[in-house]
Amino acid sequence: MSADLPEPTAPAAPSDFIRDIVAGHVAEGRYPQIVTRFPPEPNGYLHIGHAKSICLNVGIAHENNGRCNLRFDDTNPAKEDVEYVDSITTDVRWLISGWAEACLGFEPRGTESTADINYYAGPAAPGADSEPFFASNYFEALYACAEELIRRGKAYVCDLTPAETETYRGTPDTPGKNSPFRDRSVEENLDLFRRMRAGEFPDAARSLRAKIDMASPNIWLRDPLLYRIRHVAHHQTGSKWCIYPLYDFAHCLSDYFEGITHSICTLEFEVHRPLYDWILENIGLSRPLPRQYEFAKLHLGYTVVSKRKLLKLVTEKIVAGWDDPRMPTLSGLRRRGIPAAALRRFVIGLGVTKYDSLTDLAVFEHAVRDELNASSERRLAVLKPIKLVLTNIAEGEVIPCTATNTPQAEVPATRTVNLAREVFIDADDFAEVPPPKYFRLKPGGEVRLKYACIIKFEELVKNPDGTIAEIRCTADLTTRTGQPNADRKVKGTIHWVSASESIPAEVRLYDRLFTKADPDEGGDFLQNVNPQSLETVTARLEPGLADTPVGTVYQFERLGYFTPDARDHTATKPVFNRTITLKDAWAPRG
Ligand code: ATP
Ligand code: MG
């Protein structure tokens, strides 16, 4: 944003039931520091739903002089990849930069993993020589915790197959059945578990299970799996391990190792909470235990927020990749030109509740327009150019006009745009047979060319095929700024660019990716993909726009907000993405 632009009004300080709980703990001095975490599994790119979780976790840390660790929950190597680790790290840094990066918890590079069940991985300072936390860095300590559970008679090695385990578990209404291996001795369990680690058994031959209660009404407490055998390499630990902890076992203990005070997650984990507490309470840990709190996920109209579905859009080539500007991924939104500040304003403004609901896409678009209206400079561009000849301006004559870059600033910045004999206007701004109340250019009519002067229609010249070759007008140069008739009023004002000075550019006009507010309507979200979600036009831009740095968003007057494409734009072959229209283009369509 230019230094001379006013800051958009900051969103009000948020308040919600989780922040109330944290405030209570701060007031009673329960913890030396508030520590939260954002724990993505590196099996996909982050999406707009994750932005809500990041802003909540980072926000609470930020507001309480605390820390929020970025931790990869990387316990399922089969589905994970370093590509995702890298994209997630980039996206988190981007989302919170300029706001709360100082409280992002990283760990010193190259931290050794240890077999101490009371391992403590923090606090760490963010900095060049630090990296995110990884659950895989705790594999030794997690393994030690599992052995400790065995020694305490709270876990056992089970030889049931995955299918048998499923059957023995029962259903929500019928109790499960004890595994025949439930009463193995501590010695036998320790021996088998060590041999599992040593690689003596094939995948799924055995598992480690917690010994809780097969009759519990909570299915998650029916002797849940803690470790399984998986002879697959891991993106962080290579071939060191062939047994991997399950999410429920790794997550609560990773929270403990990092000194997390408030482990905030989404509602589907509410039923896991008794297990979260059971594991922590049955190992004999010495430091205060973290607690879990749940909130409702963000669901957004016309949008899918499931990594599985987003992956499908990518693999089925419905979009051009995870960062396709139509994707609700953070990388897609960034490439589309959505500022991080707008995303934060949106997700923070929604508040935090325990009730699932669908957020109207208009709320998101409103936040984006609010932000961009304040932060973007104005320029002129024509999306669907038709030629307009001003017959009373000589060929080669240039009439400099002053255009405003920042009408929102107290002292607006300006630039010069050159009016010439030939200009381009947008095809939409001319109607040969105008509907009633059409105030743009029409036969016999007058309009003002923004920042220039009033022009009067003279003649329409057509191609042999009936399309418009050019529109011929005369310019009333006495209506320019500073001229005697500058104040003369006409009903319509349209945008334009000089034909000789403007540059051609590929402009990608994006629309919603789905035609239904609920993309799952009818059962298959792929059936609801909007076939018109991308229209590409060859536009004409003011010449200065060729050098726009990636990340800069301009308002093209009367058209919307546009940004150079991060992958394809060059100064010699400009490619712009439409970030968003000026107003809800969908509203009139009902
Ligand atoms: P998906 O369901 O799409 O696979 P996930 O929840 O499994 O996503 P994780 O990587 O486990 O993805 O998510 C990291 C964190 O983000 C978790 O704490 C999760 O609760 C939170 N999160 C995921 N989706 C949303 C959402 N739509 N709104 C808010 N928070 C979310
Ligand atoms: Mg998950």
Side-chain angles (χ1 to χ4, degrees), residues 138-147 193 196 206-210 224-230 241-246 249-250 253:
Y138 311 136
F139 279 171
E140 282 294 348
L142 289 167
Y143 178 85
C145 289
E147 281 208 354
F193 189 48
M196 278 170 62
R206 294 198 151 92
S207 62
L208 184 74
R209 298 176 66 179
L225 256 59
L226 303 179
Y227 266 88
R228 61 187 167 191
I229 304 173
R230 277 269 193 286
W241 294 87
C242 63
I243 56 171
Y244 291 99
L246 274 96
F249 186 66
L253 286 165

PDB file of all heavy atoms in Angstrom, residues 138-147 193 196 206-210 224-230 241-246 249-250 253:
ATOM      1  N   TYR A 138       9.195 -35.655  17.591  1.00  0.00           N
ATOM      2  CA  TYR A 138       8.943 -36.224  18.926  1.00  0.00           C
ATOM      3  C   TYR A 138       8.786 -37.740  18.875  1.00  0.00           C
ATOM      4  O   TYR A 138       8.325 -38.334  19.850  1.00  0.00           O
ATOM      5  CB  TYR A 138       7.669 -35.623  19.532  1.00  0.00           C
ATOM      6  CG  TYR A 138       7.605 -34.114  19.466  1.00  0.00           C
ATOM      7  CD1 TYR A 138       6.433 -33.477  19.084  1.00  0.00           C
ATOM      8  CD2 TYR A 138       8.711 -33.331  19.778  1.00  0.00           C
ATOM      9  CE1 TYR A 138       6.356 -32.095  19.003  1.00  0.00           C
ATOM     10  CE2 TYR A 138       8.645 -31.953  19.695  1.00  0.00           C
ATOM     11  CZ  TYR A 138       7.468 -31.340  19.305  1.00  0.00           C
ATOM     12  OH  TYR A 138       7.405 -29.980  19.223  1.00  0.00           O
ATOM     13  N   PHE A 139       9.114 -38.363  17.755  1.00  0.00           N
ATOM     14  CA  PHE A 139       8.858 -39.802  17.649  1.00  0.00           C
ATOM     15  C   PHE A 139       9.539 -40.592  18.778  1.00  0.00           C
ATOM     16  O   PHE A 139       8.964 -41.539  19.303  1.00  0.00           O
ATOM     17  CB  PHE A 139       9.288 -40.342  16.271  1.00  0.00           C
ATOM     18  CG  PHE A 139       8.270 -40.094  15.182  1.00  0.00           C
ATOM     19  CD1 PHE A 139       8.589 -40.356  13.848  1.00  0.00           C
ATOM     20  CD2 PHE A 139       6.987 -39.613  15.466  1.00  0.00           C
ATOM     21  CE1 PHE A 139       7.650 -40.147  12.832  1.00  0.00           C
ATOM     22  CE2 PHE A 139       6.048 -39.396  14.453  1.00  0.00           C
ATOM     23  CZ  PHE A 139       6.391 -39.665  13.138  1.00  0.00           C
ATOM     24  N   GLU A 140      10.773 -40.184  19.182  1.00  0.00           N
ATOM     25  CA  GLU A 140      11.440 -40.887  20.292  1.00  0.00           C
ATOM     26  C   GLU A 140      10.664 -40.694  21.593  1.00  0.00           C
ATOM     27  O   GLU A 140      10.412 -41.645  22.340  1.00  0.00           O
ATOM     28  CB  GLU A 140      12.873 -40.395  20.479  1.00  0.00           C
ATOM     29  CG  GLU A 140      13.884 -40.938  19.484  1.00  0.00           C
ATOM     30  CD  GLU A 140      14.120 -42.455  19.589  1.00  0.00           C
ATOM     31  OE1 GLU A 140      13.675 -43.088  20.586  1.00  0.00           O
ATOM     32  OE2 GLU A 140      14.728 -43.007  18.654  1.00  0.00           O
ATOM     33  N   ALA A 141      10.320 -39.466  21.873  1.00  0.00           N
ATOM     34  CA  ALA A 141       9.610 -39.173  23.125  1.00  0.00           C
ATOM     35  C   ALA A 141       8.228 -39.833  23.131  1.00  0.00           C
ATOM     36  O   ALA A 141       7.766 -40.337  24.166  1.00  0.00           O
ATOM     37  CB  ALA A 141       9.491 -37.663  23.318  1.00  0.00           C
ATOM     38  N   LEU A 142       7.578 -39.844  21.973  1.00  0.00           N
ATOM     39  CA  LEU A 142       6.266 -40.481  21.884  1.00  0.00           C
ATOM     40  C   LEU A 142       6.402 -41.991  22.129  1.00  0.00           C
ATOM     41  O   LEU A 142       5.573 -42.600  22.829  1.00  0.00           O
ATOM     42  CB  LEU A 142       5.640 -40.230  20.504  1.00  0.00           C
ATOM     43  CG  LEU A 142       5.184 -38.782  20.250  1.00  0.00           C
ATOM     44  CD1 LEU A 142       4.878 -38.577  18.762  1.00  0.00           C
ATOM     45  CD2 LEU A 142       3.955 -38.449  21.096  1.00  0.00           C
ATOM     46  N   TYR A 143       7.440 -42.549  21.561  1.00  0.00           N
ATOM     47  CA  TYR A 143       7.669 -43.983  21.745  1.00  0.00           C
ATOM     48  C   TYR A 143       7.892 -44.279  23.238  1.00  0.00           C
ATOM     49  O   TYR A 143       7.342 -45.238  23.791  1.00  0.00           O
ATOM     50  CB  TYR A 143       8.869 -44.440  20.910  1.00  0.00           C
ATOM     51  CG  TYR A 143       9.182 -45.897  21.097  1.00  0.00           C
ATOM     52  CD1 TYR A 143       8.521 -46.874  20.363  1.00  0.00           C
ATOM     53  CD2 TYR A 143      10.113 -46.312  22.067  1.00  0.00           C
ATOM     54  CE1 TYR A 143       8.774 -48.223  20.558  1.00  0.00           C
ATOM     55  CE2 TYR A 143      10.373 -47.647  22.277  1.00  0.00           C
ATOM     56  CZ  TYR A 143       9.706 -48.604  21.520  1.00  0.00           C
ATOM     57  OH  TYR A 143       9.947 -49.931  21.738  1.00  0.00           O
ATOM     58  N   ALA A 144       8.656 -43.413  23.880  1.00  0.00           N
ATOM     59  CA  ALA A 144       8.920 -43.594  25.313  1.00  0.00           C
ATOM     60  C   ALA A 144       7.621 -43.500  26.117  1.00  0.00           C
ATOM     61  O   ALA A 144       7.420 -44.248  27.086  1.00  0.00           O
ATOM     62  CB  ALA A 144       9.941 -42.558  25.799  1.00  0.00           C
ATOM     63  N   CYS A 145       6.738 -42.605  25.718  1.00  0.00           N
ATOM     64  CA  CYS A 145       5.441 -42.479  26.399  1.00  0.00           C
ATOM     65  C   CYS A 145       4.612 -43.750  26.206  1.00  0.00           C
ATOM     66  O   CYS A 145       3.912 -44.201  27.129  1.00  0.00           O
ATOM     67  CB  CYS A 145       4.669 -41.277  25.873  1.00  0.00           C
ATOM     68  SG  CYS A 145       5.363 -39.700  26.387  1.00  0.00           S
ATOM     69  N   ALA A 146       4.695 -44.336  25.024  1.00  0.00           N
ATOM     70  CA  ALA A 146       3.946 -45.571  24.765  1.00  0.00           C
ATOM     71  C   ALA A 146       4.467 -46.696  25.658  1.00  0.00           C
ATOM     72  O   ALA A 146       3.678 -47.445  26.254  1.00  0.00           O
ATOM     73  CB  ALA A 146       4.056 -45.937  23.290  1.00  0.00           C
ATOM     74  N   GLU A 147       5.779 -46.803  25.760  1.00  0.00           N
ATOM     75  CA  GLU A 147       6.333 -47.835  26.648  1.00  0.00           C
ATOM     76  C   GLU A 147       5.910 -47.596  28.093  1.00  0.00           C
ATOM     77  O   GLU A 147       5.620 -48.534  28.834  1.00  0.00           O
ATOM     78  CB  GLU A 147       7.876 -47.861  26.551  1.00  0.00           C
ATOM     79  CG  GLU A 147       8.390 -48.591  25.322  1.00  0.00           C
ATOM     80  CD  GLU A 147       9.781 -49.215  25.511  1.00  0.00           C
ATOM     81  OE1 GLU A 147      10.397 -48.973  26.587  1.00  0.00           O
ATOM     82  OE2 GLU A 147      10.236 -49.942  24.607  1.00  0.00           O
ATOM     83  N   PHE A 193       6.166 -54.875  21.436  1.00  0.00           N
ATOM     84  CA  PHE A 193       6.184 -53.487  20.956  1.00  0.00           C
ATOM     85  C   PHE A 193       7.578 -53.132  20.434  1.00  0.00           C
ATOM     86  O   PHE A 193       7.742 -52.500  19.394  1.00  0.00           O
ATOM     87  CB  PHE A 193       5.749 -52.551  22.083  1.00  0.00           C
ATOM     88  CG  PHE A 193       5.527 -51.118  21.623  1.00  0.00           C
ATOM     89  CD1 PHE A 193       4.768 -50.826  20.495  1.00  0.00           C
ATOM     90  CD2 PHE A 193       6.070 -50.048  22.341  1.00  0.00           C
ATOM     91  CE1 PHE A 193       4.568 -49.513  20.075  1.00  0.00           C
ATOM     92  CE2 PHE A 193       5.868 -48.736  21.931  1.00  0.00           C
ATOM     93  CZ  PHE A 193       5.119 -48.470  20.798  1.00  0.00           C
ATOM     94  N   MET A 196       7.974 -54.730  17.210  1.00  0.00           N
ATOM     95  CA  MET A 196       7.241 -53.946  16.188  1.00  0.00           C
ATOM     96  C   MET A 196       8.151 -52.831  15.682  1.00  0.00           C
ATOM     97  O   MET A 196       8.281 -52.612  14.480  1.00  0.00           O
ATOM     98  CB  MET A 196       5.969 -53.313  16.789  1.00  0.00           C
ATOM     99  CG  MET A 196       4.753 -54.246  16.868  1.00  0.00           C
ATOM    100  SD  MET A 196       3.381 -53.544  17.859  1.00  0.00           S
ATOM    101  CE  MET A 196       2.949 -52.065  16.930  1.00  0.00           C
ATOM    102  N   ARG A 206       0.191 -56.252  13.726  1.00  0.00           N
ATOM    103  CA  ARG A 206      -0.049 -55.977  15.147  1.00  0.00           C
ATOM    104  C   ARG A 206      -0.270 -54.481  15.314  1.00  0.00           C
ATOM    105  O   ARG A 206       0.109 -53.683  14.454  1.00  0.00           O
ATOM    106  CB  ARG A 206       1.156 -56.397  15.992  1.00  0.00           C
ATOM    107  CG  ARG A 206       1.422 -57.885  16.006  1.00  0.00           C
ATOM    108  CD  ARG A 206       2.322 -58.246  17.176  1.00  0.00           C
ATOM    109  NE  ARG A 206       2.071 -59.601  17.622  1.00  0.00           N
ATOM    110  CZ  ARG A 206       2.739 -60.666  17.175  1.00  0.00           C
ATOM    111  NH1 ARG A 206       3.701 -60.524  16.274  1.00  0.00           N
ATOM    112  NH2 ARG A 206       2.463 -61.876  17.633  1.00  0.00           N
ATOM    113  N   SER A 207      -0.842 -54.092  16.466  1.00  0.00           N
ATOM    114  CA  SER A 207      -0.966 -52.669  16.775  1.00  0.00           C
ATOM    115  C   SER A 207      -0.822 -52.492  18.276  1.00  0.00           C
ATOM    116  O   SER A 207      -0.950 -53.459  19.037  1.00  0.00           O
ATOM    117  CB  SER A 207      -2.328 -52.142  16.300  1.00  0.00           C
ATOM    118  OG  SER A 207      -3.360 -52.827  16.988  1.00  0.00           O
ATOM    119  N   LEU A 208      -0.533 -51.265  18.678  1.00  0.00           N
ATOM    120  CA  LEU A 208      -0.557 -50.953  20.107  1.00  0.00           C
ATOM    121  C   LEU A 208      -1.863 -50.230  20.397  1.00  0.00           C
ATOM    122  O   LEU A 208      -2.231 -49.298  19.683  1.00  0.00           O
ATOM    123  CB  LEU A 208       0.625 -50.070  20.502  1.00  0.00           C
ATOM    124  CG  LEU A 208       0.702 -49.802  22.015  1.00  0.00           C
ATOM    125  CD1 LEU A 208       1.190 -51.051  22.763  1.00  0.00           C
ATOM    126  CD2 LEU A 208       1.605 -48.610  22.329  1.00  0.00           C
ATOM    127  N   ARG A 209      -2.562 -50.707  21.442  1.00  0.00           N
ATOM    128  CA  ARG A 209      -3.849 -50.094  21.782  1.00  0.00           C
ATOM    129  C   ARG A 209      -3.872 -49.665  23.236  1.00  0.00           C
ATOM    130  O   ARG A 209      -3.235 -50.283  24.096  1.00  0.00           O
ATOM    131  CB  ARG A 209      -4.977 -51.102  21.540  1.00  0.00           C
ATOM    132  CG  ARG A 209      -5.079 -51.535  20.097  1.00  0.00           C
ATOM    133  CD  ARG A 209      -6.142 -52.591  19.906  1.00  0.00           C
ATOM    134  NE  ARG A 209      -7.496 -52.074  20.178  1.00  0.00           N
ATOM    135  CZ  ARG A 209      -8.605 -52.813  20.051  1.00  0.00           C
ATOM    136  NH1 ARG A 209      -8.514 -54.098  19.682  1.00  0.00           N
ATOM    137  NH2 ARG A 209      -9.775 -52.291  20.301  1.00  0.00           N
ATOM    138  N   ALA A 210      -4.600 -48.603  23.500  1.00  0.00           N
ATOM    139  CA  ALA A 210      -4.807 -48.179  24.885  1.00  0.00           C
ATOM    140  C   ALA A 210      -5.811 -49.138  25.525  1.00  0.00           C
ATOM    141  O   ALA A 210      -6.723 -49.621  24.873  1.00  0.00           O
ATOM    142  CB  ALA A 210      -5.348 -46.754  24.919  1.00  0.00           C
ATOM    143  N   PRO A 224      -8.631 -47.519  21.882  1.00  0.00           N
ATOM    144  CA  PRO A 224      -8.209 -46.959  20.600  1.00  0.00           C
ATOM    145  C   PRO A 224      -6.777 -47.342  20.227  1.00  0.00           C
ATOM    146  O   PRO A 224      -5.939 -47.573  21.106  1.00  0.00           O
ATOM    147  CB  PRO A 224      -8.322 -45.448  20.833  1.00  0.00           C
ATOM    148  CG  PRO A 224      -8.179 -45.291  22.305  1.00  0.00           C
ATOM    149  CD  PRO A 224      -8.852 -46.482  22.913  1.00  0.00           C
ATOM    150  N   LEU A 225      -6.522 -47.383  18.940  1.00  0.00           N
ATOM    151  CA  LEU A 225      -5.170 -47.639  18.432  1.00  0.00           C
ATOM    152  C   LEU A 225      -4.245 -46.477  18.787  1.00  0.00           C
ATOM    153  O   LEU A 225      -4.632 -45.312  18.660  1.00  0.00           O
ATOM    154  CB  LEU A 225      -5.219 -47.751  16.896  1.00  0.00           C
ATOM    155  CG  LEU A 225      -5.130 -49.153  16.292  1.00  0.00           C
ATOM    156  CD1 LEU A 225      -6.261 -50.023  16.805  1.00  0.00           C
ATOM    157  CD2 LEU A 225      -5.150 -49.070  14.772  1.00  0.00           C
ATOM    158  N   LEU A 226      -3.042 -46.819  19.227  1.00  0.00           N
ATOM    159  CA  LEU A 226      -2.039 -45.789  19.507  1.00  0.00           C
ATOM    160  C   LEU A 226      -0.910 -45.816  18.472  1.00  0.00           C
ATOM    161  O   LEU A 226      -0.376 -44.778  18.105  1.00  0.00           O
ATOM    162  CB  LEU A 226      -1.447 -45.993  20.906  1.00  0.00           C
ATOM    163  CG  LEU A 226      -2.451 -46.004  22.067  1.00  0.00           C
ATOM    164  CD1 LEU A 226      -1.724 -46.230  23.389  1.00  0.00           C
ATOM    165  CD2 LEU A 226      -3.261 -44.703  22.123  1.00  0.00           C
ATOM    166  N   TYR A 227      -0.531 -47.024  18.049  1.00  0.00           N
ATOM    167  CA  TYR A 227       0.550 -47.180  17.069  1.00  0.00           C
ATOM    168  C   TYR A 227       0.160 -48.230  16.053  1.00  0.00           C
ATOM    169  O   TYR A 227      -0.459 -49.240  16.407  1.00  0.00           O
ATOM    170  CB  TYR A 227       1.833 -47.671  17.759  1.00  0.00           C
ATOM    171  CG  TYR A 227       2.760 -46.562  18.167  1.00  0.00           C
ATOM    172  CD1 TYR A 227       2.620 -45.947  19.405  1.00  0.00           C
ATOM    173  CD2 TYR A 227       3.767 -46.131  17.320  1.00  0.00           C
ATOM    174  CE1 TYR A 227       3.466 -44.927  19.789  1.00  0.00           C
ATOM    175  CE2 TYR A 227       4.623 -45.100  17.697  1.00  0.00           C
ATOM    176  CZ  TYR A 227       4.470 -44.500  18.926  1.00  0.00           C
ATOM    177  OH  TYR A 227       5.309 -43.487  19.298  1.00  0.00           O
ATOM    178  N   ARG A 228       0.551 -48.035  14.813  1.00  0.00           N
ATOM    179  CA  ARG A 228       0.369 -49.092  13.822  1.00  0.00           C
ATOM    180  C   ARG A 228       1.672 -49.291  13.045  1.00  0.00           C
ATOM    181  O   ARG A 228       2.531 -48.397  13.018  1.00  0.00           O
ATOM    182  CB  ARG A 228      -0.799 -48.776  12.899  1.00  0.00           C
ATOM    183  CG  ARG A 228      -0.604 -47.516  12.126  1.00  0.00           C
ATOM    184  CD  ARG A 228      -1.850 -47.156  11.346  1.00  0.00           C
ATOM    185  NE  ARG A 228      -1.720 -45.789  10.870  1.00  0.00           N
ATOM    186  CZ  ARG A 228      -2.713 -45.095  10.340  1.00  0.00           C
ATOM    187  NH1 ARG A 228      -3.919 -45.614  10.252  1.00  0.00           N
ATOM    188  NH2 ARG A 228      -2.517 -43.866   9.917  1.00  0.00           N
ATOM    189  N   ILE A 229       1.769 -50.440  12.432  1.00  0.00           N
ATOM    190  CA  ILE A 229       2.968 -50.754  11.649  1.00  0.00           C
ATOM    191  C   ILE A 229       2.754 -50.266  10.227  1.00  0.00           C
ATOM    192  O   ILE A 229       1.737 -50.546   9.613  1.00  0.00           O
ATOM    193  CB  ILE A 229       3.231 -52.275  11.637  1.00  0.00           C
ATOM    194  CG1 ILE A 229       3.333 -52.819  13.075  1.00  0.00           C
ATOM    195  CG2 ILE A 229       4.499 -52.592  10.841  1.00  0.00           C
ATOM    196  CD1 ILE A 229       3.428 -54.336  13.150  1.00  0.00           C
ATOM    197  N   ARG A 230       3.721 -49.498   9.728  1.00  0.00           N
ATOM    198  CA  ARG A 230       3.660 -48.976   8.353  1.00  0.00           C
ATOM    199  C   ARG A 230       5.090 -48.939   7.824  1.00  0.00           C
ATOM    200  O   ARG A 230       5.854 -48.048   8.192  1.00  0.00           O
ATOM    201  CB  ARG A 230       3.146 -47.536   8.347  1.00  0.00           C
ATOM    202  CG  ARG A 230       1.670 -47.361   8.388  1.00  0.00           C
ATOM    203  CD  ARG A 230       1.104 -47.301   6.977  1.00  0.00           C
ATOM    204  NE  ARG A 230      -0.271 -46.837   6.986  1.00  0.00           N
ATOM    205  CZ  ARG A 230      -1.299 -47.572   7.393  1.00  0.00           C
ATOM    206  NH1 ARG A 230      -1.092 -48.792   7.813  1.00  0.00           N
ATOM    207  NH2 ARG A 230      -2.526 -47.073   7.371  1.00  0.00           N
ATOM    208  N   TRP A 241      11.763 -45.151  11.056  1.00  0.00           N
ATOM    209  CA  TRP A 241      10.636 -45.754  11.756  1.00  0.00           C
ATOM    210  C   TRP A 241       9.770 -46.605  10.825  1.00  0.00           C
ATOM    211  O   TRP A 241       9.588 -46.253   9.656  1.00  0.00           O
ATOM    212  CB  TRP A 241       9.745 -44.664  12.374  1.00  0.00           C
ATOM    213  CG  TRP A 241      10.432 -43.902  13.455  1.00  0.00           C
ATOM    214  CD1 TRP A 241      11.225 -42.807  13.315  1.00  0.00           C
ATOM    215  CD2 TRP A 241      10.428 -44.215  14.854  1.00  0.00           C
ATOM    216  NE1 TRP A 241      11.712 -42.395  14.521  1.00  0.00           N
ATOM    217  CE2 TRP A 241      11.233 -43.244  15.505  1.00  0.00           C
ATOM    218  CE3 TRP A 241       9.824 -45.205  15.629  1.00  0.00           C
ATOM    219  CZ2 TRP A 241      11.444 -43.243  16.874  1.00  0.00           C
ATOM    220  CZ3 TRP A 241      10.030 -45.192  17.010  1.00  0.00           C
ATOM    221  CH2 TRP A 241      10.835 -44.238  17.612  1.00  0.00           C
ATOM    222  N   CYS A 242       9.259 -47.711  11.387  1.00  0.00           N
ATOM    223  CA  CYS A 242       8.257 -48.479  10.635  1.00  0.00           C
ATOM    224  C   CYS A 242       6.981 -48.615  11.460  1.00  0.00           C
ATOM    225  O   CYS A 242       6.057 -49.313  11.067  1.00  0.00           O
ATOM    226  CB  CYS A 242       8.808 -49.835  10.228  1.00  0.00           C
ATOM    227  SG  CYS A 242       9.196 -50.868  11.643  1.00  0.00           S
ATOM    228  N   ILE A 243       6.960 -47.989  12.643  1.00  0.00           N
ATOM    229  CA  ILE A 243       5.697 -47.872  13.378  1.00  0.00           C
ATOM    230  C   ILE A 243       5.417 -46.373  13.539  1.00  0.00           C
ATOM    231  O   ILE A 243       6.347 -45.576  13.732  1.00  0.00           O
ATOM    232  CB  ILE A 243       5.744 -48.549  14.773  1.00  0.00           C
ATOM    233  CG1 ILE A 243       6.885 -47.982  15.622  1.00  0.00           C
ATOM    234  CG2 ILE A 243       5.862 -50.061  14.640  1.00  0.00           C
ATOM    235  CD1 ILE A 243       6.846 -48.457  17.075  1.00  0.00           C
ATOM    236  N   TYR A 244       4.174 -45.998  13.398  1.00  0.00           N
ATOM    237  CA  TYR A 244       3.815 -44.583  13.484  1.00  0.00           C
ATOM    238  C   TYR A 244       2.665 -44.390  14.472  1.00  0.00           C
ATOM    239  O   TYR A 244       1.717 -45.182  14.493  1.00  0.00           O
ATOM    240  CB  TYR A 244       3.426 -44.044  12.105  1.00  0.00           C
ATOM    241  CG  TYR A 244       4.624 -43.960  11.170  1.00  0.00           C
ATOM    242  CD1 TYR A 244       4.856 -44.953  10.224  1.00  0.00           C
ATOM    243  CD2 TYR A 244       5.535 -42.909  11.274  1.00  0.00           C
ATOM    244  CE1 TYR A 244       5.969 -44.887   9.377  1.00  0.00           C
ATOM    245  CE2 TYR A 244       6.643 -42.834  10.432  1.00  0.00           C
ATOM    246  CZ  TYR A 244       6.855 -43.824   9.492  1.00  0.00           C
ATOM    247  OH  TYR A 244       7.956 -43.748   8.663  1.00  0.00           O
ATOM    248  N   PRO A 245       2.754 -43.335  15.295  1.00  0.00           N
ATOM    249  CA  PRO A 245       1.685 -43.071  16.262  1.00  0.00           C
ATOM    250  C   PRO A 245       0.447 -42.543  15.556  1.00  0.00           C
ATOM    251  O   PRO A 245       0.544 -41.900  14.518  1.00  0.00           O
ATOM    252  CB  PRO A 245       2.292 -41.983  17.151  1.00  0.00           C
ATOM    253  CG  PRO A 245       3.272 -41.276  16.273  1.00  0.00           C
ATOM    254  CD  PRO A 245       3.815 -42.323  15.329  1.00  0.00           C
ATOM    255  N   LEU A 246      -0.709 -42.810  16.133  1.00  0.00           N
ATOM    256  CA  LEU A 246      -1.933 -42.241  15.563  1.00  0.00           C
ATOM    257  C   LEU A 246      -2.135 -40.821  16.053  1.00  0.00           C
ATOM    258  O   LEU A 246      -1.589 -40.412  17.078  1.00  0.00           O
ATOM    259  CB  LEU A 246      -3.144 -43.135  15.884  1.00  0.00           C
ATOM    260  CG  LEU A 246      -3.206 -44.214  14.786  1.00  0.00           C
ATOM    261  CD1 LEU A 246      -2.528 -45.472  15.237  1.00  0.00           C
ATOM    262  CD2 LEU A 246      -4.594 -44.414  14.268  1.00  0.00           C
ATOM    263  N   PHE A 249      -2.896 -40.046  19.762  1.00  0.00           N
ATOM    264  CA  PHE A 249      -1.788 -40.249  20.688  1.00  0.00           C
ATOM    265  C   PHE A 249      -0.736 -39.149  20.518  1.00  0.00           C
ATOM    266  O   PHE A 249      -0.253 -38.566  21.492  1.00  0.00           O
ATOM    267  CB  PHE A 249      -1.155 -41.625  20.433  1.00  0.00           C
ATOM    268  CG  PHE A 249      -0.091 -41.989  21.430  1.00  0.00           C
ATOM    269  CD1 PHE A 249      -0.406 -42.195  22.765  1.00  0.00           C
ATOM    270  CD2 PHE A 249       1.229 -42.127  21.031  1.00  0.00           C
ATOM    271  CE1 PHE A 249       0.573 -42.534  23.690  1.00  0.00           C
ATOM    272  CE2 PHE A 249       2.214 -42.463  21.955  1.00  0.00           C
ATOM    273  CZ  PHE A 249       1.884 -42.662  23.283  1.00  0.00           C
ATOM    274  N   ALA A 250      -0.419 -38.836  19.280  1.00  0.00           N
ATOM    275  CA  ALA A 250       0.651 -37.867  19.012  1.00  0.00           C
ATOM    276  C   ALA A 250       0.227 -36.444  19.361  1.00  0.00           C
ATOM    277  O   ALA A 250       1.031 -35.637  19.830  1.00  0.00           O
ATOM    278  CB  ALA A 250       1.052 -37.939  17.543  1.00  0.00           C
ATOM    279  N   LEU A 253       0.209 -35.312  23.200  1.00  0.00           N
ATOM    280  CA  LEU A 253       1.573 -35.322  23.735  1.00  0.00           C
ATOM    281  C   LEU A 253       2.447 -34.250  23.074  1.00  0.00           C
ATOM    282  O   LEU A 253       3.268 -33.615  23.745  1.00  0.00           O
ATOM    283  CB  LEU A 253       2.190 -36.717  23.586  1.00  0.00           C
ATOM    284  CG  LEU A 253       1.607 -37.728  24.589  1.00  0.00           C
ATOM    285  CD1 LEU A 253       1.947 -39.160  24.182  1.00  0.00           C
ATOM    286  CD2 LEU A 253       2.104 -37.442  26.016  1.00  0.00           C
TER     287      LEU A 253
END
